[in-house]
């Protein structure tokens, strides 16, 4: 193991709502990044607490800093009249409301209250029995949430009770229950992760927490076999994680690079799936078109064959009618006998040829063109 002494960095003060973040790179260089826009002469502060510890209520944060760093925190968050780690839903307007500080579970003689503190809230302040009932549920959550042997079903019931009493997802106790359920539950983690990620979106002191939750939710959504909708949601989450991590720790941060790579992989999967769907749709469309074309062509061919047969029959009937009319004119009642002959030979000796046929002999004739027929009865040529 190796250590380092950073004289300049050691002068940075702590705040539970820091305006800067720091990290060490591979060469153990100290890197400092602004979390927000800084005014001239504004003091630069960092957090001496971990990401999860920053989400704890005021008394717990102060106790941690007192025991580890030997000072009582008086930062803006800790000095506030309300504790933004203890978030509730305002009973009047539904906006976010915070409990008074310090926590009523600590020894305090001040009457507790819950004040609507949302940007567009009604600014109402709740006190008395109504607040007492809500804070009783909060105390129950805080007493049980760190019990390591708590059954998952008890945790689920506790979570339901907290949500029904108005504790919001960003309340440290509710988030702690969901964190424990994710660690011990075999259920699909997507809904729990989605609830946790949404709860800390847009909170300045929870940028790192939101980025890492977004990364975890994106991984859960982009599992093998995920549909396009889940992959698109994962792409957005990976983008948010990459942006947040770059803001805190720079573009060379390993977690930032991981988020970027996961985002690119998810985008490739979406594009690949879209191409496959397009090919399948094109193949199906072409197949249907070919089948329709084949069916249409078959019907046309059938119609053509029918017309051809009708034309042939009509032509034969006309020939037979003409031949029959000629036979009747010559008083010849025998059946027409057609022979393919050379026109000149047949014309010069029709009787001889006819007689030889009657005696069984073969007439000496030249081969006539196959397209010409000569009717012995009518003496007429016909074209096939």
């Amino acid at each position: 193991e190796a250590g380092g002494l950073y004289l300049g960095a050691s002068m940075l003060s702590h705040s539970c709502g820091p305006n800067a973040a720091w990290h060490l790179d591979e060469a153990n260089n100290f890197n400092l990044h602004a979390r927000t826009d800084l005014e001239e002469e504004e003091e630069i502060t960092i957090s001496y607490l971990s990401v999860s510890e920053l989400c704890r209520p005021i008394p717990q944060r102060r106790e941690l800093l007192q025991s580890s760093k030997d000072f009582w925190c008086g930062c803006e968050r800790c000095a506030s009249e309300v504790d933004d780690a203890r978030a509730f839903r305002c009973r009047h307007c539904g906006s976010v409301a915070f409990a008074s500080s310090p926590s009523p579970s600590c020894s305090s003689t001040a009457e507790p209250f819950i004040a609507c503190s949302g940007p567009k809230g009604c600014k109402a302040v709740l006190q008395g029995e109504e607040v007492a009932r809500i804070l009783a549920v909060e105390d129950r959550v805080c007493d049980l949430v760190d019990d390591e042997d708590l059954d998952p079903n008890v945790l689920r019931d506790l979570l339901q009770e907290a949500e029904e009493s108005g504790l919001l997802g960003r309340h440290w106790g509710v988030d702690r229950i969901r964190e424990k359920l994710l660690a011990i539950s075999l259920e699909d983690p997507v809904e729990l992760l989605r609830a946790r990620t949404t709860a800390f979106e847009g909170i300045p002191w929870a940028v790192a927490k939101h980025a890492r939750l977004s990364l975890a939710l994106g991984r859960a959504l982009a599992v093998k076999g995920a549909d396009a909708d889940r992959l698109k949601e994962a792409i957005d989450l990976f983008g948010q994680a990459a942006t947040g991590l770059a803001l805190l720790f720079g573009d060379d941060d390993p977690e930032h690079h991981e988020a970027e790579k996961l985002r690119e992989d998810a985008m490739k999967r979406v594009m690949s799936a879209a191409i496959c769907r397009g090919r399948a749709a094109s193949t199906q469309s072409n197949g249907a078109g070919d089948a329709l074309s084949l069916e249409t062509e078959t019907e046309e061919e059938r119609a053509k064959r029918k017309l051809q047969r009708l034309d042939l029959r009509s032509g034969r009937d006309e020939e037979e009618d003409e031949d029959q009319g000629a036979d009747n004119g010559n008083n010849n009642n025998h059946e027409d006998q057609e022979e393919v002959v050379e026109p000149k030979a047949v014309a010069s000796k029709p009787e001889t040829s006819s007689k030889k046929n009657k005696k069984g002999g073969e007439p000496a004739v030249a081969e006539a063109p196959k397209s010409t027929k000569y009717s012995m009865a009518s003496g007429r040529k016909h074209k096939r």
Side-chain angles (χ1 to χ4, degrees):
E1 295 182 0
L5 181 62
Y6 304 93
L7 296 178
S10 66
M11 302 301 293
L12 293 168
S13 297
H14 162 82
S15 173
C16 294
N19 57 22
W22 65 274
H23 76 284
L24 299 178
D25 60 21
E26 295 180 355
N28 272 337
N29 294 315
F30 184 93
N31 293 272
L32 187 67
H33 300 269
R35 300 167 67 110
T36 60
D37 294 333
L38 300 176
E39 300 291 339
E40 188 176 356
E41 301 297 330
E42 181 179 354
E43 183 183 11
I44 298 175
T45 58
I46 60 174
S47 174
Y48 296 173
L49 299 175
S50 68
V51 173
S52 60
E53 289 171 346
L54 278 177
C55 298
R56 293 279 178 163
I58 294 173
Q60 293 188 27
R61 296 201 306 270
R62 280 177 164 171
E63 184 179 351
L64 286 169
L65 291 168
Q66 182 70 49
S67 61
S68 62
K69 302 296 188 289
D70 197 27
F71 72 91
W72 184 257
C73 185
C75 72
E76 185 177 357
R77 280 187 71 197
C78 291
S80 174
E81 291 185 352
V82 294
D83 192 343
D84 58 6
R86 298 169 59 210
F88 300 83
R89 183 180 298 104
C90 178
R91 294 297 180 93
H92 296 287
C93 67
S95 184
V96 62
F98 299 128
S100 57
S101 176
S103 171
S105 59
C106 300
S107 57
S108 176
T109 58
E111 183 179 3
F113 63 87
I114 296 177
C116 180
S117 305
K120 298 181 180 180
C122 62
K123 308 303 179 183
V125 178
L126 299 180
Q127 288 180 308
E129 294 183 1
E130 187 175 10
V131 172
R133 287 194 298 269
I134 298 173
L135 296 183
V137 175
E138 183 191 35
D139 286 342
R140 173 175 162 78
V141 170
C142 297
D143 291 340
L144 295 176
V145 73
D146 288 327
D147 188 348
E148 298 297 335
D149 299 325
L150 207 59
D151 185 85
N153 293 324
V154 176
L155 281 173
R156 293 189 188 94
D157 293 340
L158 191 61
L159 176 61
Q160 182 178 356
E161 182 182 6
E163 290 174 337
E164 291 175 352
S165 299
L167 278 70
L168 293 180
R170 62 181 285 184
H171 189 289
W172 77 273
V174 173
D175 184 64
R176 180 67 178 143
I177 293 175
R178 287 174 174 159
E179 183 181 18
K180 294 192 70 173
L181 282 173
L182 281 169
I184 63 178
S185 178
L186 299 178
E187 300 173 1
D188 185 3
V190 169
E191 292 306 319
L192 286 171
L193 282 170
R194 185 180 283 122
R196 295 186 70 198
T197 304
T198 304
F200 290 97
E201 185 175 4
I203 301 176
W205 48 265
V207 174
K209 187 180 185 73
H210 180 263
R212 286 168 179 158
L213 285 172
S214 298
L215 195 59
L217 177 56
R219 288 197 198 96
L221 288 168
V223 294
K224 185 177 181 181
D227 58 25
D229 291 337
R230 281 198 164 199
L231 286 174
K232 290 177 181 178
E233 184 181 355
I235 291 170
D236 182 60
L237 289 163
F238 290 142
Q240 293 182 42
T243 301
L245 292 166
L247 172 67
L248 297 176
F249 311 120
D251 294 340
D252 58 345
D253 177 63
E255 285 184 296
H256 166 76
H257 289 308
E258 180 186 5
E260 286 285 5
K261 184 178 184 305
L262 289 171
R263 181 173 178 270
E264 292 176 1
D265 292 343
M267 290 177 67
K268 290 178 182 178
R269 289 171 62 184
V270 170
M271 294 176 63
S272 177
I275 292 172
C276 291
R277 285 195 302 270
R279 289 176 178 173
S282 177
T283 302
Q284 185 176 4
S285 176
N286 292 337
D290 292 344
L292 181 60
S293 177
L294 180 59
E295 182 178 354
T296 304
E297 291 175 359
T298 302
E299 292 296 330
E300 290 177 356
E301 290 176 355
R302 290 175 183 172
K304 288 180 181 179
R305 284 197 295 270
K306 287 181 180 179
L307 289 173
Q308 289 173 356
R309 286 197 295 267
L310 290 173
D311 290 342
L312 288 173
R313 288 178 183 176
S314 177
R316 290 171 183 171
D317 291 342
E318 289 177 359
E319 291 178 1
E320 290 176 359
D321 291 341
E322 291 177 359
D323 293 342
Q324 186 65 34
D327 291 342
N328 290 339
N330 296 324
N331 295 322
N332 187 356
N333 294 325
H334 68 80
E335 211 174 33
D336 286 343
Q337 296 182 5
E338 295 186 351
E339 215 171 289
V340 179
V341 294
E342 183 71 30
K344 290 183 179 180
V346 176
S348 61
K349 296 181 179 181
E351 293 182 0
T352 303
S353 178
S354 177
K355 289 178 181 180
K356 287 185 178 182
N357 283 336
K358 290 179 180 178
K359 293 180 180 181
E362 293 292 332
V365 296
E367 184 177 357
K370 293 184 179 181
S371 60
T372 304
K373 294 194 295 184
Y374 187 84
S375 174
M376 297 295 294
S378 62
R380 295 179 181 178
K381 298 176 184 177
H382 304 284
K383 296 288 184 177
R384 287 188 181 275

